[in-house]
Amino acid sequence: MNVITTPKETLHLKPKLRLLPRAFPVLHRSQSVQLLPLNTSSNSSLTSPARIGLVSQGGGSIDLWRRYASDKFSEMGLDPGAGSDKMFNETASIVETLKKANSILPHVVLASTVLALLYPPSFTWFTSRYFVPALGFLMFAVGINSNEKDFLEAFKRPKAILLGYLGQYLIKPLLGFIFGLAAVSLFQLPTPIGAGIILVSCVSGAQLSNYATFLTDPALAPLSIVMTSLSTATAVLVTPMLSLLLIGKKLPVDVKGMISSILQVVIAPIAAGLLLNKLFPKLSNAIRPFLPVLSVLDTACCVGAPLALNINSVMSPFGATILLLVTMFHLSAFLSGYFLTGSVFRNAPDAKALQRTLSYETGMQSSLLALALATKFFQDPLVGIPPAISTVVMSLMGFTLVMIWSNEKEPSI
């Protein structure tokens, strides 16, 4: 039997059922309730003249009352779900903003440089003992943002990877040796200055090159990551050996110490990031949105602090000469990577994109690693001046190219 009732009447129905005699038909869960309109003049969907179908008194009644309550809120001009939707949208907006923090990195680098030159105390608190953990954090960020799929896709282009590796550890060290020798022989600068220029040329590629490639040619960002990761992973052996070969006759080089330091600063943090991403993906996803902001702040300190701490040497009479030599070194590296790639991949459909990518790889070095090694393994503080200047010059030149190439690149690429 069906009992016809309205939503308001059912509010009083259950308490009264217990007092009714047995002869009165009591509702059971298996029976149904037919809803009649409360007010046929209402515009609500629940109170429209149209007859609403049968609804079970079990789970369906809950749904019915949710709809009824929602309808009443709507009649009063209220939206009970609006607050939660707004909160969700605001949270999503904050996360997206955090993820896009890297987009202001070029401006942060420039601002850090100007601030360090105008007011050195703003960065002098960030002493050399913080360089190694700061660089380790950047390496951890690279690891947690990488996965095996990126590497598998990029390894389908071994020729480009090999050319990028040769640019990192053959062309670049030769250029560094030339400019380091010119610093001592032609410009009569102290030997540690020449050693610092050579040290910059012996380190692995900078992670900023990956971001520069992403801004210019997103499709080749995984390839850039593989090239940088490969040069970074092998830096544990290649950088100390190149330093011994090119600097060893001028200054003593602690090869074993460099190997141990690079393992701690580069390999271990990247491995930790990869493992965290693989074994604890939920934790990685929770951390990842905050990494761009922290990386930008980290980079700002790593750019401003070396200048602030070496402000007297940078502003000395030979500071302009070091700036000129370091700038010419990076410019030569950018151009070498660009034109060498053009000659090798001239017939490739994405030749221009490859030229830009390998230009970034060859021209942008991990100057922070060179600075950390110079601070830890060379007694003369002058060795750290070229890496400190290189950190700024390399970043500004790289992102200047990003702006130029982003505006001029071919639409098809």
Side-chain angles (χ1 to χ4, degrees), residues 110-121:
L110 181 59
S112 301
T113 303
V114 174
L115 185 59
L117 293 174
L118 296 179
Y119 187 65

Side-chain angles (χ1 to χ4, degrees), residues 60 63 68 74-75 77 84 90 101 153 196 223-224 226 234 239 283 293 382 396 401:
D63 202 43
Y68 177 72
S74 298
E75 289 180 358
S84 59
E90 289 178 353
E153 184 66 25
L223 178 64
S224 177
V226 167
T234 55
T239 295
L283 179 58
V293 174
L382 292 179
L396 294 178
L401 288 175

Side-chain angles (χ1 to χ4, degrees), residues 95 98-99 140 144-145 276-277 280-292 294:
V95 171
L98 291 173
K99 288 181 179 179
F140 173 77
I144 204 172
N145 282 289
L276 186 67
N277 195 26
F280 304 99
K282 291 184 178 179
L283 179 58
S284 297
N285 291 334
I287 294 173
R288 196 174 289 115
F290 299 94
L291 291 179
L294 296 176

Side-chain angles (χ1 to χ4, degrees), residues 40-231:
T40 56
S41 63
S42 173
N43 293 327
S44 167
S45 60
L46 275 176
T47 58
S48 63
R51 179 174 178 271
I52 298 178
L54 296 178
V55 182
S56 69
Q57 191 178 344
S61 61
I62 298 175
D63 202 43
L64 169 65
W65 283 108
R66 284 176 180 170
R67 293 172 59 194
Y68 177 72
S70 177
D71 178 69
K72 285 298 164 188
F73 275 117
S74 298
E75 289 180 358
M76 292 185 290
L78 301 175
D79 185 0
S84 59
D85 290 342
K86 183 178 180 181
M87 183 179 297
F88 176 80
N89 292 335
E90 289 178 353
T91 303
S93 177
I94 293 173
V95 171
E96 289 302 316
T97 301
L98 291 173
K99 288 181 179 179
K100 294 177 181 179
N102 276 337
S103 60
I104 65 172
L105 188 56
H107 309 288
V108 171
V109 169
L110 181 59
S112 301
T113 303
V114 174
L115 185 59
L117 293 174
L118 296 179
Y119 187 65
S122 58
F123 287 103
T124 50
W125 61 271
F126 198 82
T127 58
S128 58
R129 66 176 179 174
Y130 296 120
F131 291 166
V132 170
L135 182 59
F137 176 78
L138 293 177
M139 297 298 105
F140 173 77
V142 171
I144 204 172
N145 282 289
S146 304
N147 59 64
E148 62 275 10
K149 293 181 180 179
D150 296 333
F151 293 89
L152 292 175
E153 184 66 25
F155 273 117
K156 295 178 181 179
R157 309 190 74 163
K159 191 175 179 181
I161 294 174
L162 177 60
L163 188 61
Y165 194 82
L166 291 176
Q168 282 288 343
Y169 286 133
L170 180 61
I171 297 174
K172 189 161 55 78
L174 287 176
L175 292 172
F177 182 76
I178 293 171
F179 284 99
L181 191 62
V184 177
S185 302
L186 296 179
F187 294 94
Q188 302 298 312
L189 295 178
T191 299
I193 297 296
I197 295 175
I198 296 174
L199 183 60
V200 170
S201 71
C202 294
V203 294
S204 57
Q207 278 66 43
L208 286 178
S209 64
N210 307 150
Y211 186 61
T213 299
F214 172 76
L215 293 177
T216 311
D217 302 284
L220 293 184
L223 178 64
S224 177
I225 292 173
V226 167
M227 288 190 287
T228 303
S229 301
L230 184 61
S231 68

Side-chain angles (χ1 to χ4, degrees), residues 230-304:
L230 184 61
S231 68
T232 301
T234 55
V236 67
L237 294 175
V238 178
T239 295
M241 297 309 297
L242 283 173
S243 301
L244 178 63
L245 176 64
L246 300 177
I247 306 175
K249 294 182 180 180
K250 305 178 185 299
L251 295 173
V253 177
D254 185 359
V255 176
K256 291 183 179 180
M258 279 191 178
I259 292 175
S260 175
S261 182
I262 294 173
L263 279 171
Q264 297 173 25
V265 175
V266 179
I267 307 302
I270 289 180
L274 287 170
L275 287 175
L276 186 67
N277 195 26
K278 183 72 174 178
L279 301 178
F280 304 99
K282 291 184 178 179
L283 179 58
S284 297
N285 291 334
I287 294 173
R288 196 174 289 115
F290 299 94
L291 291 179
V293 174
L294 296 176
S295 297
V296 167
L297 295 176
D298 191 349
T299 303
C301 292
C302 291
V303 170

Side-chain angles (χ1 to χ4, degrees), residues 283-361:
L283 179 58
S284 297
N285 291 334
I287 294 173
R288 196 174 289 115
F290 299 94
L291 291 179
V293 174
L294 296 176
S295 297
V296 167
L297 295 176
D298 191 349
T299 303
C301 292
C302 291
V303 170
L307 286 178
L309 294 171
N310 296 279
I311 190 65
N312 293 329
S313 299
V314 172
M315 302 301 291
S316 66
F318 58 82
T321 305
I322 300 174
L323 176 61
L324 174 64
L325 289 169
V326 171
T327 302
M328 292 303 297
F329 160 70
H330 282 290
L331 179 61
S332 300
F334 277 115
L335 293 175
S336 297
Y338 186 85
F339 288 109
L340 178 63
T341 306
S343 63
V344 175
F345 293 99
R346 67 171 69 93
N347 296 324
D350 56 351
K352 290 294 182 182
L354 280 172
Q355 284 183 270
R356 292 188 285 264
T357 300
L358 270 78
S359 178
Y360 292 136
E361 290 300 315

